[in-house]
Amino acid sequence: MTLERVISINALIEIFPTLFQGVKITILVLLGSIVVGYFLAFIAGFCLLSNNIILRTLTRFYVEIFRGTSLIVQLFWLYYALPMLFNIDLGSNYLAGVLAISLNYGAYMSEVVRGSIVAVAQGQREAATALNMSRFQRMRLVIFPQAVRMMLPEFGNYLIQMVKATSLVSLIGMKDILYYGDRFRFSEISMTPIVLFLALVFYFIIALPLIFLTRKMEDISKKGVAS
Amino acid sequence: MNWNNDLFFQALPFISKGIWITLSLTIVCYVFALIFGFVWTFLKRIPNKAINWVVTWTMEFIRSTPPLVQLYFIFYAWPEVPYVGMTLSPFTSAVIGLGIHFSTYISEVYRSGIESVDKGQWEASTALNFTTKQKWTKIILPQAIRPTIPMLGNYLIILFKEVPLAATIGVVGILHLAGDFGSQHFRNIEAYTVVALLFLLMSYPSALLVNKLEKKMNMKFDKKATNGSKTLNDSEGAVS
């Protein structure tokens, strides 16, 4: 086996389109997880701040469970156990994958939401109250806009984490980048190094815009704030 | 409801046998990452723009690609690499794969620790005519290491939660045993519930401990050290 055999143009021509087939699924899972994940993060974040003790306890329970166990375990549990336990069929592995990733990262990000809202200076709340704003107005007009800025850098980091997490869906039989990369292992074993390396590059290319976005978000959150 | 209590109690001892593998893998990976993190930190401090650029983007590449794919690469592809390739056992592959992945995070912790040391300390040690070695061992490191301890603790917990990934390349930890148990009995609920429970039981108390440690350290030290932007977040995070 020579180096030329491993890195040849012909091999690349063969590998590239095959791996590219998986990009669609990876992106779809990523988008689904982002939408549901952030939605959950805000809902759970606000519930953690609620005055209702039952709501708060239940949300705390959810957050700690999903932060305390690993994503791969949650994914397997949702995919293999949940349908049996409650006779719920999640219908597709897409739903199980998106649900696992978004429940996991929703739990992590809810802490970011909660932490940022709590971190808004107390004087802002008092000033808003002094201006005779309702509770809702206070949150919408004064506290939330300031809190969002603080959330941005962390949210960016979690976006990149989610890209990495999407690779797990190949384990529940989804045809993502890793699935197509892994297939070469059985047909053409000598090509696995270049195939899996290309798979890594594919993931990196998906993550790259998010890396720059995160840097941008960090700049935005720093701008005009006395540190 | 389709829950079988007997099976649950059968699965519990069967799967618990994997705890030792999972724990030892966590520890070995962690030590590897702690050491390798120093290498990154050292490489990043080389005052050469080209080297710095290469190191920064290599780290960024490792950090933002999935550890699962990296594990596959090391376990399945490394033996096929010409000249330098060799076959590695699943355990070794997991140590190298997860170790290198986490070392990039650990190195950021080290960096933030070093940066948290006041500039005046450097100047003072130069003014006192300390050698480079003395400067590091007597002045900088003793101050840089302590504020990083809670962050390093967090990464240990995060790593613990990442280690089940190694089941995919055949390390017989708790997740792998759960898969075995599930296929033996054609039922997966009890087995995977046991795994989730075991993880929760081990990681939740340690997370509480680290939080406590963090609060204690924050009281003692300036908060500057915990603001490393590239580290995950200061409470807890996931890296899958």
Side-chain angles (χ1 to χ4, degrees), chain A:
Chain A
M1 182 172 48
T2 58
L3 200 64
E4 290 76 48
R5 176 69 193 86
V6 174
I7 310 170
S8 69
I9 298 296
N10 283 340
L12 281 179
I13 288 172
E14 194 184 332
I15 296 163
F16 197 84
T18 317
L19 283 182
F20 201 76
Q21 286 175 281
V23 171
K24 192 182 143 203
I25 293 287
T26 298
I27 299 269
L28 279 178
V29 172
L30 179 64
L31 287 179
S33 311
I34 288 173
V35 172
V36 184
Y38 282 108
F39 181 73
L40 273 172
F42 279 108
I43 301 277
F46 280 115
C47 285
L48 285 173
L49 290 165
S50 152
N51 287 331
N52 185 333
I53 189 156
I54 299 167
L55 194 61
R56 216 168 54 218
T57 317
L58 282 177
T59 319
R60 183 44 69 197
F61 192 65
Y62 150 69
V63 171
E64 294 307 341
I65 291 231
F66 277 86
R67 288 197 335 167
T69 56
S70 38
L71 177 58
I72 184 170
V73 177
Q74 291 157 20
L75 182 73
F76 282 4
W77 200 84
L78 278 177
Y79 185 65
Y80 293 114
L82 194 67
M84 269 177 121
L85 193 54
F86 298 110
N87 284 325
I88 307 171
D89 195 358
L90 284 177
S92 65
N93 41 16
Y94 176 74
L95 208 58
V98 167
L99 211 58
I101 296 174
S102 46
L103 279 170
N104 184 274
Y105 285 99
Y108 281 109
M109 292 190 296
S110 71
E111 279 292 306
V112 177
V113 171
R114 189 195 65 89
S116 306
I117 290 174
V118 170
V120 173
Q122 191 59 35
Q124 299 285 332
R125 264 165 247 268
E126 286 158 8
T129 315
L131 289 169
N132 204 18
M133 286 180 174
S134 70
R135 203 175 132 83
F136 181 67
Q137 280 177 319
R138 231 161 39 205
M139 183 54 83
R140 186 171 64 94
L141 299 170
V142 179
I143 296 162
F144 194 65
Q146 297 181 65
V148 165
R149 272 169 78 137
M150 286 187 254
M151 296 172 200
L152 287 179
E154 290 289 350
F155 274 3
N157 278 336
Y158 280 115
L159 274 179
I160 300 166
Q161 303 298 332
M162 280 200 252
V163 173
K164 297 199 288 178
T166 57
S167 69
L168 291 179
V169 296
S170 66
L171 298 175
I172 55 167
M174 290 195 74
K175 295 178 175 166
D176 72 339
I177 299 173
L178 182 57
Y179 168 84
Y180 284 106
D182 199 34
R183 256 192 359 180
F184 275 91
R185 208 175 83 219
F186 304 106
S187 55
E188 193 102 31
I189 189 137
S190 66
M191 285 206 305
T192 36
I194 189 72
V195 171
L196 286 177
F197 185 73
L198 257 181
L200 283 171
V201 172
F202 268 73
Y203 279 109
F204 188 58
I205 291 170
I206 297 175
L208 206 55
L210 302 176
I211 293 172
F212 286 117
L213 186 72
T214 308
R215 288 186 185 169
K216 182 113 195 152
M217 282 169 160
E218 270 163 21
D219 289 344
I220 292 172
S221 73
K222 270 183 204 145
K223 208 179 275 171
V225 180
S227 55

Side-chain angles (χ1 to χ4, degrees), chain B residues 128-162:
Chain B
L128 289 168
N129 205 18
F130 278 34
T131 63
T132 315
K133 194 190 154 204
Q134 284 175 323
K135 210 190 278 180
W136 279 99
T137 54
K138 297 231 155 70
I139 310 288
I140 307 301
L141 286 181
Q143 296 181 76
I145 289 170
R146 287 181 70 183
T148 62
I149 290 170
M151 282 189 274
L152 292 177
N154 266 333
Y155 278 110
L156 181 60
I157 300 170
I158 298 169
L159 179 62
F160 175 63
K161 286 183 279 182
E162 288 299 302

Side-chain angles (χ1 to χ4, degrees), chain B residues 78-126:
Chain B
W78 192 247
E80 302 300 321
V81 175
Y83 312 123
V84 287
M86 58 173 112
T87 312
L88 299 165
S89 74
F91 193 88
T92 320
S93 310
V95 169
I96 296 175
L98 291 174
I100 290 180
H101 189 89
F102 270 81
S103 67
T104 56
Y105 287 99
I106 299 276
S107 143
E108 289 294 337
V109 175
Y110 291 157
R111 186 190 55 82
S112 75
I114 292 170
E115 278 174 10
S116 75
V117 178
D118 196 79
K119 210 178 144 213
Q121 301 283 331
W122 292 86
E123 289 161 0
S125 54
T126 313

Side-chain angles (χ1 to χ4, degrees), chain B residues 13-41:
Chain B
F14 183 82
I15 293 167
S16 300
K17 280 187 292 183
I19 284 185
W20 296 114
I21 301 278
T22 303
L23 279 181
S24 54
L25 183 56
T26 311
I27 301 293
V28 179
C29 275
Y30 190 61
V31 172
F32 188 91
L34 286 180
I35 295 166
F36 215 75
F38 268 120
V39 177
W40 292 119
T41 314

